[in-house]
Amino acid sequence: MKLQVLAAAVDKDAKKLAESMNLATDAIIVNQCDRYSYEEFEYRNKEIRCFSMKERGVGRSRNTALLHASGDIVLFSDEDIRFHAGYEKQVLAAFAKNPDADLITFNFKVDERRATYRNGKERPVRWYNYGRYPTYSVAARLETLHRCNVSFSLLFGGGAKYSNGEDSLFLHDCLKKGMHLYTSTEEIGEEIYRESTWFKGYNEKFFVDRGVLYHHLYGKAAKIFALRFLYAHRDEMCCEIPLGEAYRMMSRGIAEGRGR
């Protein structure tokens, strides 16, 4: 099997990025910047292709990379990821070990302020736990993604109308299409900490955007999951905006998601 990294970046030099990410496989970089251009070069005897584009939105970048991808296994990534030596072997070994896996999530070393998960054991990803995984943790069989017609939302994520959630929606759609998702305990890289490009605190936009996302994820059960979410994180999220007001904001977002 052939592994190919699909990286989303903003205003980066592709050759410097290949070095900072410690790429050791073929890769496609989609670079959001102020121009349209294409370059192709070798790094460590691997083919790196970079598509520069003016359009904004991380979902658009990931879909562009998928459009041009050719690897048997694609590993999604971001500009602030640095891969460990041997990551190719780890990823391909995980798929060889789980031949029915269409998608596998891997561990990364991250700042504790950004940690949302840690795979302590190998197990299937289910409806009750798919929302914790960032896109950069995901590797998938390209043929399956194409066959199931799965792609990234253009409504959510950095540079889009709504703040974040494109990763949860992507995994939601993979499960909905019947794909087999698993976790791996292998750590294949680290995230270099930087300030979030979208998170500006637990403000009105955060809660409204989260409500829109919950409509797309949970449908008629969105308000129940919104209340559950707020109650579980009330000590962290509801210091400035009380829980009841945050719930009303999320409900407004749910209604917006329904088109009302």
Side-chain angles (χ1 to χ4, degrees):
M1 293 186 292
K2 174 185 173 183
L3 177 67
Q4 186 177 41
V5 170
L6 308 183
V10 178
D11 201 20
K12 294 295 182 181
D13 180 285
K15 293 180 180 179
K16 291 181 179 178
L17 186 60
E19 181 179 359
S20 67
M21 293 182 68
N22 196 33
L23 291 176
T25 58
D26 288 355
I28 292 176
I29 298 170
V30 179
N31 186 37
Q32 295 179 22
C33 56
D34 60 357
R35 68 187 183 279
Y36 294 103
S37 65
Y38 171 76
E39 63 178 313
E40 184 177 314
F41 59 93
E42 284 194 358
Y43 180 73
R44 294 176 174 171
N45 296 318
K46 300 296 183 179
E47 181 185 69
I48 311 297
R49 305 171 67 197
C50 180
F51 297 84
S52 294
M53 50 191 279
K54 295 182 180 181
E55 289 81 7
R56 295 296 185 259
V58 66
R60 194 181 305 274
S61 292
R62 298 203 194 282
N63 288 340
T64 300
L66 277 173
L67 178 66
H68 296 283
S70 59
D72 301 299
I73 306 296
V74 292
L75 175 60
F76 296 102
S77 192
D78 292 321
E79 64 183 48
D80 55 357
I81 294 299
R82 181 171 179 80
F83 292 108
H84 293 333
Y87 72 90
E88 178 182 22
K89 182 178 179 180
Q90 291 172 285
V91 173
L92 294 181
F95 277 92
K97 183 179 178 180
N98 298 280
D100 67 324
D102 299 306
L103 183 152
I104 298 177
T105 69
F106 293 86
N107 285 327
F108 281 78
K109 182 180 179 181
V110 300
D111 188 281
E112 61 181 19
R113 290 168 289 184
R114 300 260 296 170
T116 59
Y117 80 102
R118 183 74 184 179
N119 295 332
K121 60 181 180 180
E122 298 178 358
R123 62 179 182 176
V125 176
R126 303 297 192 190
W127 287 103
Y128 56 81
N129 65 354
Y130 73 90
R132 68 185 66 180
Y133 299 105
T135 306
Y136 65 73
S137 72
V138 171
R141 297 185 191 273
L142 182 62
E143 187 276 333
T144 306
L145 293 179
H146 286 168
R147 175 165 45 82
C148 293
N149 194 28
V150 177
S151 60
F152 288 86
S153 171
L154 302 184
L155 278 177
F156 297 88
K161 181 176 181 179
Y162 301 111
S163 303
N164 75 320
E166 80 289 347
D167 39 16
S168 297
L169 277 169
F170 177 75
L171 296 179
H172 168 276
D173 290 347
C174 288
L175 286 168
K176 189 175 180 179
K177 291 295 181 71
M179 292 172 59
H180 298 150
L181 283 59
Y182 291 90
T183 65
S184 169
T185 59
E186 294 287 331
E187 182 181 281
I188 63 172
E190 63 179 312
E191 181 190 41
I192 308 303
Y193 179 77
R194 60 176 178 169
E195 291 296 324
S196 173
T197 59
W198 66 268
F199 181 69
K200 306 301 179 184
Y202 298 112
N203 54 24
E204 181 177 2
K205 178 171 175 55
F206 174 87
F207 292 115
V208 172
D209 287 5
R210 184 56 59 114
V212 177
L213 174 65
Y214 272 37
H215 162 71
H216 287 276
L217 291 178
Y218 304 117
K220 293 180 179 179
K223 286 190 174 182
I224 296 174
F225 279 93
L227 188 60
R228 175 179 176 270
F229 168 75
L230 290 171
Y231 187 79
H233 300 282
R234 63 191 183 280
D235 292 339
E236 176 187 2
M237 296 182 177
C238 300
C239 296
E240 297 184 10
I241 298 178
L243 190 150
E245 181 63 22
Y247 178 70
R248 285 189 286 273
M249 291 175 179
M250 285 194 68
S251 296
R252 194 164 81 241
I254 292 168
E256 183 176 332
R258 292 199 305 263
R260 296 181 182 177

